[in-house]
Amino acid sequence: MAQPKMAMIGMAVMGRNFAQNFASKGFDIAMFNRTTSRTVEAYEACKHEPYADKLHPVLGDINDLVKTVGADGTYLVMVQAGAGTQACIDQLKPLLQKGAIIVDCANSYWPDTIKRHEEFLGTGIDFFGAGVSGGEEGAKLGPSIMPGGPSRAVYNKRLRKPLEAVAAKAPSDGKPCVTFIGKHGAGHFVKMVHNGIEYGDMQLIAEAYDVMSGALGMKAQEIGDVLAKWNTGILNSFLIEITAEVMHQKDSSGRANLVDRILDEAKMKGTGTWTMMDSLRLDSGVEPLPTIYAAVESRAISAKKAERVEMSKIIKLGKRKYKGDRKKLLNDLEKALYLAKIASYAQGIDLMRSAASEYGFGGLDIGSIASIWRAGCIIRAGFLDDITSSYKENPKLISLMAAPVFQQAIQKNFGSMERVCAAANASRVPFMAFDSSRNYILQSVNARLPANVTQGQRDFFGAHTYRKIDAKGNTILHEKGKLKGQPVTFHTNWMLDGRPETIED
């Protein structure tokens, strides 16, 4: 029996499925869990598979694992993020030597990945943080994988071949959905943003359901039919597909629709919140993510079920039935959901680009990232082919919305978004993510916003100063003798007679 040079640590469903994926592609891999019974259980479940001879269960402690794989082997860690991952790494580190690779495949927070990367500098042991998306099925059949680490050279030499073998393959061209993302925490950062976009996407679909259910009075089966039809067009995606299935599913009694029996409290594991937090604390300035914020906030409000029930008795603002043309509204809703998705992806991409520069990720190739999201991951969607090609054609796009295919879609279908938002508001259907997406688009393409009022207010109560424009709308620059090309900063002395204006250098 061949000696494995690779190990999968963590035999919960994700770890065992990922190990089977590697084995099915011809790679010998050790299976290990700190609880031996879990390793036995994982192996017993697949020992009759045709690739079982490639699976090597290690029934001992971490020392036995390293003796099996080697001190210079590759160790994939798929245990609970946080303390569990750190404990595993701390146990491994003193047992390994130069040439070894540790790959953290958990949903780790990217600053933790940077710290771990720094701990291994100078040891000869290379540490990678890899975002893995696709859930249990993806782990076994092919996920989207987002690895970040010390260098592309190490990735190409040691990880590229096995990861490309097990990754999902894009349906349009068969390319593996994995690429080296960037340095240290880049992989986990991109996976975090992926999850933030996922939050936005899910909330938008949920709000579309709410319009169909609350405003149009449609039943789950009929909504499922609409979603299934949408999945054959511009909204073709994994999330639309599975939501249609959720709508069509009967509960255990067989008499009611499952979705109508599910408690309306959405849970969170943290990645959407992390995305929000990181967008707010960039040194270069806040990166707006209104669609993702709305999704996180909507989940948070949903968790206040008891309070909502009580408040519904105190303030009666029930939903109203829509009295317009239902067919036209459904047609508008499909187009509006597409535009809202564009806005959500645009926000995530802008955050990735800002962070890449600030945190030294080494530059993120947005086209390549979009390419590896085309299959395997939760946000896989047909229009990712358009995102991929748009950034391949112009890597310096000012915004995803500026790509010709998307600017045309927005120009053509923005009226649909306006009508849908108006219908939802008139029907008293909460529409936070859609409204946020619509306003994000409007603000992003508006040459002048009312921030001049905000800045005037800030100068009045806090002497925070302001800049000015000339009669043609150009920023006023320093006069002769001052720093050329630098804007002039002004302050109005609001408390003095005549309120004189001064230049603040």
Side-chain angles (χ1 to χ4, degrees), residues 53-128:
D53 62 329
K54 294 291 183 180
L55 295 167
H56 305 264
V58 176
L59 308 180
D61 61 17
I62 198 83
N63 292 280
D64 296 306
L65 176 66
V66 174
K67 288 176 184 176
T68 301
V69 177
D72 61 349
T74 298
Y75 295 83
L76 301 156
V77 180
M78 184 71 85
V79 301
Q80 188 173 17
T85 296
Q86 189 61 54
C88 180
I89 293 169
D90 289 343
Q91 288 180 321
L92 268 178
K93 185 177 180 180
L95 303 177
L96 303 183
Q97 65 185 31
K98 184 178 180 180
I101 294 179
I102 298 176
V103 185
D104 173 13
C105 298
N107 253 344
S108 294
Y109 191 27
W110 64 274
D112 294 337
T113 305
I114 291 180
K115 291 177 184 177
R116 290 164 185 159
H117 162 80
E118 292 172 347
E119 289 175 10
F120 283 95
L121 290 176
T123 66
I125 302 168
D126 291 306
F127 183 83
F128 283 76

Side-chain angles (χ1 to χ4, degrees), residues 146-191:
M146 294 151 261
S151 72
R152 185 180 294 275
V154 175
Y155 168 79
N156 286 341
K157 183 178 180 181
R158 295 286 299 278
L159 294 177
R160 181 175 179 176
K161 183 178 178 181
L163 292 186
E164 287 189 349
V166 300
K169 306 302 184 291
S172 59
D173 56 22
K175 291 184 178 180
C177 291
V178 58
T179 188
F180 180 74
I181 299 295
K183 296 179 181 178
H184 44 77
H188 277 140
F189 188 93
V190 167
K191 174 58 164 58

